[in-house]
Amino acid sequence: MNNLRPVGIIGTGKYVPEKILSNRDLEKMVDTSDEWIVSMTGIRERHIAAPNEATSDLAYHAAVNALKSAGMKAEDLELIIVATITPDMFFPSTACLLQDRLGAKKAAAFDLSAACSGFVYGLATATNFVKTGMYNNALVIGVDCLSRITDYTDRNTCVLFGDGAGAAIVGEVPEGRGFQAFDLGAEGAGGAHLYIEAGGSRLPASAETINTNKHYIYMNGREVFKFAVRVMGSATEAVLSKAGIDKKDIDLFVPHQANIRIIKSAMERLELPEEKVVINVDKYANTSAASVPLALVEAQESGRLKEGDKVLMVGFGGGLTWGSSVLIW
């Protein structure tokens, strides 16, 4: 990667809906408790999109903030990648809907589906487009409205998910900065552990699929947890090796925010103190593709992210997929 122009993040933005659904609220909906949810997941609340808000709306607000951060206009954008598993519709893509709303008339646009790894997959894709000179910049957005595919009668899954969007503009950066390495992977054999069964070409929507709740997230929590703990460590070690960076040199670790126990397991494996780790799962729950960028932007806004910092980002999720990257800020 280093024989081409250096590419990194030149602007960021985020957006979460106003409505908050707390654990106490969920106690009134299903047989659960705040104490149990916090102890098992670390989650205290999550943001929920309003009835008139769709994935493209969340993406739009995050994109506007990212453009402002980068000092760019929408018409300057050359590529838009939206990582999501909850598009507004099958087609046109959410990226095309966003391109139109932003007025980014010069930008190519497409969606990318890698679930909770989607933002890192998107960054890797955009980085290679910009490194090779095909485009000079790209807007990458991780966004999901998981509340729209969550069964709020299923206590095992409804406590886990929330809505949000995080955006990054990828472009050329000074020599010695930017993305140093990526590690992307998939374990398709584990796809049956986390999926939505109906709504596609194999099982189109019907009265039966609706009545049997086949349009909601199904998750084998035990198997996904085991996968996450394993791959969080292996994906991290792989990308650090590619980047030639020792784990002790990591300045900031930005993991996918699915479960506090998974994050702490990774912290132990990497021997990282809490002050080097971004944790916001308590506020947002699992927002899928939005998880990593929301955490990254919050770290920047709070002053935890400084120029020259070595940043490690790791995502994992449905597919099953994983993605990790090392970035010098």
Side-chain angles (χ1 to χ4, degrees):
M1 291 178 68
N2 293 328
N3 61 332
L4 302 171
R5 60 180 175 179
V7 175
I9 292 174
I10 60 174
T12 62
K14 74 178 193 331
Y15 175 79
V16 291
E18 290 184 14
K19 181 183 177 181
I20 293 175
L21 183 68
S22 70
N23 291 347
R24 297 296 184 192
D25 295 327
L26 286 171
E27 288 178 347
K28 302 169 186 175
M29 300 165 63
V30 291
D31 182 17
T32 191
S33 71
D34 175 65
E35 292 75 17
W36 183 87
I37 298 171
V38 172
S39 65
M40 296 300 290
T41 69
I43 298 167
R44 296 184 182 276
E45 59 187 32
R46 67 286 293 147
H47 289 249
I48 304 296
N52 63 338
E53 279 186 313
T55 294
S56 66
D57 298 313
L58 275 59
Y60 172 78
H61 294 299
V64 168
N65 291 331
L67 286 167
K68 183 178 179 181
S69 168
M72 291 175 58
K73 296 178 180 179
E75 51 264 36
D76 298 327
L77 289 173
E78 299 183 8
L79 175 65
I80 298 172
I81 301 173
V82 173
T84 186
I85 54 169
T86 56
D88 285 26
M89 58 194 78
F90 277 159
F91 67 91
S93 68
T94 301
C96 282
L97 298 174
L98 176 63
Q99 184 235 36
D100 177 53
R101 186 170 175 185
L102 286 172
K105 295 183 179 180
K106 293 192 300 182
F110 64 89
D111 286 359
L112 184 156
S113 178
C116 308
S117 310
F119 182 69
V120 179
Y121 265 68
L123 289 177
T125 304
T127 295
N128 282 291
F129 272 124
V130 177
K131 267 192 174 294
T132 59
M134 183 170 179
Y135 298 111
N136 290 308
N137 61 65
L139 169 65
V140 180
I141 301 181
V143 54
D144 273 303
C145 280
L146 294 182
S147 62
R148 302 294 162 80
I149 56 172
T150 296
D151 181 357
Y152 285 98
T153 67
D154 178 8
R155 69 173 189 162
N156 294 316
T157 57
C158 74
V159 304
L160 301 175
F161 303 114
D163 303 335
I169 295 178
V170 172
E172 187 171 359
V173 294
E175 198 69 41
R177 302 293 169 87
F179 289 104
Q180 304 300 298
F182 288 95
D183 183 70
L184 307 179
E187 195 172 291
H193 298 315
L194 182 57
Y195 66 92
I196 293 178
E197 186 174 3
S201 61
R202 185 163 300 281
L203 193 61
S206 67
E208 182 182 354
T209 63
I210 293 169
N211 292 334
T212 52
N213 289 345
K214 286 182 167 49
H215 295 267
Y216 291 129
I217 297 170
Y218 165 81
M219 185 172 73
N220 182 333
R222 185 182 299 275
E223 291 301 319
V224 172
F225 184 88
K226 288 193 296 185
F227 165 79
V229 169
R230 170 170 56 85
V231 81
M232 182 82 93
S234 61
T236 294
E237 290 167 352
V239 79
L240 288 174
S241 176
K242 287 181 180 180
I245 293 175
D246 193 274
K247 61 185 179 182
K248 71 176 185 301
D249 296 323
I250 298 169
D251 295 302
L252 196 67
F253 178 39
V254 186
H256 171 45
Q257 308 288 314
N259 186 305
I260 191 65
R261 292 184 295 153
I262 297 171
I263 295 172
K264 287 188 174 180
S265 172
M267 288 168 60
E268 291 175 10
R269 184 164 176 173
L270 294 170
E271 300 175 341
L272 285 176
E274 195 163 320
E275 57 266 24
K276 286 190 173 185
V277 184
V278 183
I279 300 174
N280 63 5
V281 67
D282 56 316
K283 295 192 297 182
Y284 302 123
N286 183 348
T287 55
S288 190
S291 169
V292 170
L294 276 176
L296 180 71
V297 178
E298 285 212 331
Q300 184 184 20
E301 290 175 343
S302 66
R304 295 182 64 187
L305 189 53
K306 299 175 179 62
E307 191 173 341
D309 278 355
K310 296 180 177 67
V311 182
L312 168 66
M313 291 181 276
V314 184
F316 56 86
L320 299 167
T321 62
W322 67 84
S324 56
S325 71
V326 172
L327 166 71
I328 299 180
W329 193 256

